[in-house]
mmCIF file of all heavy atoms in Angstrom:
data_model
loop_
_atom_site.group_PDB
_atom_site.id
_atom_site.type_symbol
_atom_site.label_atom_id
_atom_site.label_comp_id
_atom_site.label_asym_id
_atom_site.label_seq_id
_atom_site.Cartn_x
_atom_site.Cartn_y
_atom_site.Cartn_z
ATOM 1 N N SER Q 1 15.377 9.644 41.341
ATOM 2 C CA SER Q 1 14.600 8.466 41.622
ATOM 3 C C SER Q 1 13.588 8.806 42.711
ATOM 4 O O SER Q 1 13.959 9.337 43.758
ATOM 5 C CB SER Q 1 15.552 7.365 42.076
ATOM 6 O OG SER Q 1 14.854 6.237 42.502
ATOM 7 N N HIS Q 2 12.327 8.510 42.480
ATOM 8 C CA HIS Q 2 11.272 8.748 43.466
ATOM 9 C C HIS Q 2 10.547 7.441 43.761
ATOM 10 O O HIS Q 2 10.279 6.669 42.835
ATOM 11 C CB HIS Q 2 10.256 9.776 42.961
ATOM 12 C CG HIS Q 2 10.819 11.141 42.839
ATOM 13 N ND1 HIS Q 2 10.891 11.811 41.651
ATOM 14 C CD2 HIS Q 2 11.343 11.966 43.761
ATOM 15 C CE1 HIS Q 2 11.431 13.000 41.839
ATOM 16 N NE2 HIS Q 2 11.730 13.107 43.117
ATOM 17 N N HIS Q 3 10.232 7.232 45.021
ATOM 18 C CA HIS Q 3 9.543 6.019 45.447
ATOM 19 C C HIS Q 3 8.390 6.406 46.361
ATOM 20 O O HIS Q 3 8.574 7.210 47.276
ATOM 21 C CB HIS Q 3 10.499 5.097 46.201
ATOM 22 C CG HIS Q 3 11.744 4.805 45.431
ATOM 23 N ND1 HIS Q 3 11.838 3.767 44.545
ATOM 24 C CD2 HIS Q 3 12.939 5.454 45.385
ATOM 25 C CE1 HIS Q 3 13.045 3.771 43.995
ATOM 26 N NE2 HIS Q 3 13.720 4.782 44.491
ATOM 27 N N ALA Q 4 7.223 5.821 46.127
ATOM 28 C CA ALA Q 4 6.054 6.028 46.992
ATOM 29 C C ALA Q 4 5.627 4.671 47.539
ATOM 30 O O ALA Q 4 5.666 3.664 46.820
ATOM 31 C CB ALA Q 4 4.914 6.664 46.221
ATOM 32 N N SER Q 5 5.246 4.651 48.812
ATOM 33 C CA SER Q 5 4.812 3.393 49.413
ATOM 34 C C SER Q 5 3.698 3.652 50.418
ATOM 35 O O SER Q 5 3.423 4.794 50.771
ATOM 36 C CB SER Q 5 5.981 2.694 50.100
ATOM 37 O OG SER Q 5 6.438 3.468 51.189
ATOM 38 N N ASN Q 6 3.079 2.574 50.852
ATOM 39 C CA ASN Q 6 2.002 2.625 51.842
ATOM 40 C C ASN Q 6 0.924 3.626 51.424
ATOM 41 O O ASN Q 6 0.469 4.425 52.237
ATOM 42 C CB ASN Q 6 2.540 2.963 53.225
ATOM 43 C CG ASN Q 6 3.485 1.909 53.747
ATOM 44 O OD1 ASN Q 6 4.237 1.311 52.979
ATOM 45 N ND2 ASN Q 6 3.484 1.685 55.031
ATOM 46 N N ILE Q 7 0.535 3.567 50.172
ATOM 47 C CA ILE Q 7 -0.464 4.494 49.643
ATOM 48 C C ILE Q 7 -1.838 4.082 50.157
ATOM 49 O O ILE Q 7 -2.238 2.930 50.019
ATOM 50 C CB ILE Q 7 -0.436 4.492 48.100
ATOM 51 C CG1 ILE Q 7 0.960 4.895 47.615
ATOM 52 C CG2 ILE Q 7 -1.523 5.400 47.545
ATOM 53 C CD1 ILE Q 7 1.213 4.602 46.160
ATOM 54 N N GLU Q 8 -2.513 5.032 50.773
ATOM 55 C CA GLU Q 8 -3.837 4.774 51.332
ATOM 56 C C GLU Q 8 -4.799 5.837 50.822
ATOM 57 O O GLU Q 8 -4.507 7.034 50.902
ATOM 58 C CB GLU Q 8 -3.756 4.819 52.858
ATOM 59 C CG GLU Q 8 -4.977 4.289 53.545
ATOM 60 C CD GLU Q 8 -4.734 4.158 55.039
ATOM 61 O OE1 GLU Q 8 -3.718 3.562 55.435
ATOM 62 O OE2 GLU Q 8 -5.570 4.681 55.795
ATOM 63 N N VAL Q 9 -5.939 5.402 50.271
ATOM 64 C CA VAL Q 9 -6.937 6.313 49.716
ATOM 65 C C VAL Q 9 -8.251 6.094 50.449
ATOM 66 O O VAL Q 9 -8.671 4.952 50.659
ATOM 67 C CB VAL Q 9 -7.131 6.069 48.203
ATOM 68 C CG1 VAL Q 9 -8.201 6.998 47.649
ATOM 69 C CG2 VAL Q 9 -5.823 6.237 47.455
ATOM 70 N N GLU Q 10 -8.891 7.189 50.827
ATOM 71 C CA GLU Q 10 -10.191 7.131 51.501
ATOM 72 C C GLU Q 10 -11.182 7.978 50.710
ATOM 73 O O GLU Q 10 -10.969 9.174 50.513
ATOM 74 C CB GLU Q 10 -10.063 7.679 52.930
ATOM 75 C CG GLU Q 10 -11.361 7.713 53.679
ATOM 76 C CD GLU Q 10 -11.226 8.354 55.052
ATOM 77 O OE1 GLU Q 10 -10.124 8.840 55.393
ATOM 78 O OE2 GLU Q 10 -12.232 8.378 55.766
ATOM 79 N N ILE Q 11 -12.261 7.337 50.240
ATOM 80 C CA ILE Q 11 -13.310 8.056 49.527
ATOM 81 C C ILE Q 11 -14.138 8.819 50.563
ATOM 82 O O ILE Q 11 -14.640 8.236 51.517
ATOM 83 C CB ILE Q 11 -14.215 7.092 48.731
ATOM 84 C CG1 ILE Q 11 -13.384 6.226 47.776
ATOM 85 C CG2 ILE Q 11 -15.308 7.857 48.002
ATOM 86 C CD1 ILE Q 11 -12.685 6.976 46.684
ATOM 87 N N ILE Q 12 -14.280 10.123 50.368
ATOM 88 C CA ILE Q 12 -15.036 10.960 51.292
ATOM 89 C C ILE Q 12 -16.482 11.101 50.802
ATOM 90 O O ILE Q 12 -17.420 10.895 51.544
ATOM 91 C CB ILE Q 12 -14.390 12.355 51.437
ATOM 92 C CG1 ILE Q 12 -12.915 12.227 51.841
ATOM 93 C CG2 ILE Q 12 -15.163 13.214 52.417
ATOM 94 C CD1 ILE Q 12 -12.677 11.502 53.139
ATOM 95 N N TYR Q 13 -16.635 11.481 49.555
ATOM 96 C CA TYR Q 13 -17.925 11.559 48.865
ATOM 97 C C TYR Q 13 -17.730 10.894 47.520
ATOM 98 O O TYR Q 13 -16.625 10.473 47.185
ATOM 99 C CB TYR Q 13 -18.366 13.019 48.684
ATOM 100 C CG TYR Q 13 -18.500 13.774 49.976
ATOM 101 C CD1 TYR Q 13 -17.562 14.729 50.335
ATOM 102 C CD2 TYR Q 13 -19.553 13.522 50.855
ATOM 103 C CE1 TYR Q 13 -17.667 15.422 51.532
ATOM 104 C CE2 TYR Q 13 -19.662 14.201 52.049
ATOM 105 C CZ TYR Q 13 -18.723 15.153 52.389
ATOM 106 O OH TYR Q 13 -18.817 15.830 53.565
ATOM 107 N N SER Q 14 -18.761 10.838 46.721
ATOM 108 C CA SER Q 14 -18.660 10.139 45.437
ATOM 109 C C SER Q 14 -17.584 10.726 44.520
ATOM 110 O O SER Q 14 -17.032 10.021 43.695
ATOM 111 C CB SER Q 14 -20.012 10.140 44.724
ATOM 112 O OG SER Q 14 -20.430 11.477 44.491
ATOM 113 N N ALA Q 15 -17.279 12.007 44.653
ATOM 114 C CA ALA Q 15 -16.295 12.631 43.766
ATOM 115 C C ALA Q 15 -15.138 13.279 44.522
ATOM 116 O O ALA Q 15 -14.407 14.083 43.961
ATOM 117 C CB ALA Q 15 -16.985 13.666 42.877
ATOM 118 N N ASN Q 16 -14.977 12.933 45.806
ATOM 119 C CA ASN Q 16 -13.902 13.507 46.611
ATOM 120 C C ASN Q 16 -13.242 12.411 47.442
ATOM 121 O O ASN Q 16 -13.909 11.531 47.967
ATOM 122 C CB ASN Q 16 -14.448 14.580 47.564
ATOM 123 C CG ASN Q 16 -14.935 15.792 46.823
ATOM 124 O OD1 ASN Q 16 -14.146 16.612 46.403
ATOM 125 N ND2 ASN Q 16 -16.254 15.895 46.647
ATOM 126 N N ALA Q 17 -11.936 12.501 47.556
ATOM 127 C CA ALA Q 17 -11.189 11.526 48.349
ATOM 128 C C ALA Q 17 -9.958 12.210 48.924
ATOM 129 O O ALA Q 17 -9.599 13.313 48.519
ATOM 130 C CB ALA Q 17 -10.780 10.342 47.474
ATOM 131 N N ARG Q 18 -9.354 11.531 49.877
ATOM 132 C CA ARG Q 18 -8.065 11.991 50.380
ATOM 133 C C ARG Q 18 -7.143 10.777 50.389
ATOM 134 O O ARG Q 18 -7.582 9.636 50.491
ATOM 135 C CB ARG Q 18 -8.189 12.646 51.741
ATOM 136 C CG ARG Q 18 -8.678 11.771 52.832
ATOM 137 C CD ARG Q 18 -8.761 12.539 54.155
ATOM 138 N NE ARG Q 18 -9.587 11.787 55.077
ATOM 139 C CZ ARG Q 18 -10.448 12.327 55.912
ATOM 140 N NH1 ARG Q 18 -10.591 13.632 55.959
ATOM 141 N NH2 ARG Q 18 -11.155 11.584 56.708
ATOM 142 N N ALA Q 19 -5.869 11.072 50.269
ATOM 143 C CA ALA Q 19 -4.876 10.002 50.220
ATOM 144 C C ALA Q 19 -3.622 10.450 50.943
ATOM 145 O O ALA Q 19 -3.357 11.642 51.080
ATOM 146 C CB ALA Q 19 -4.545 9.663 48.770
#
Side-chain angles (χ1 to χ4, degrees):
S1 174
H2 292 118
H3 307 272
S5 65
N6 297 35
I7 301 166
E8 192 171 310
V9 178
E10 178 184 4
I11 305 295
I12 305 301
Y13 301 107
S14 60
N16 292 282
R18 62 180 164 219

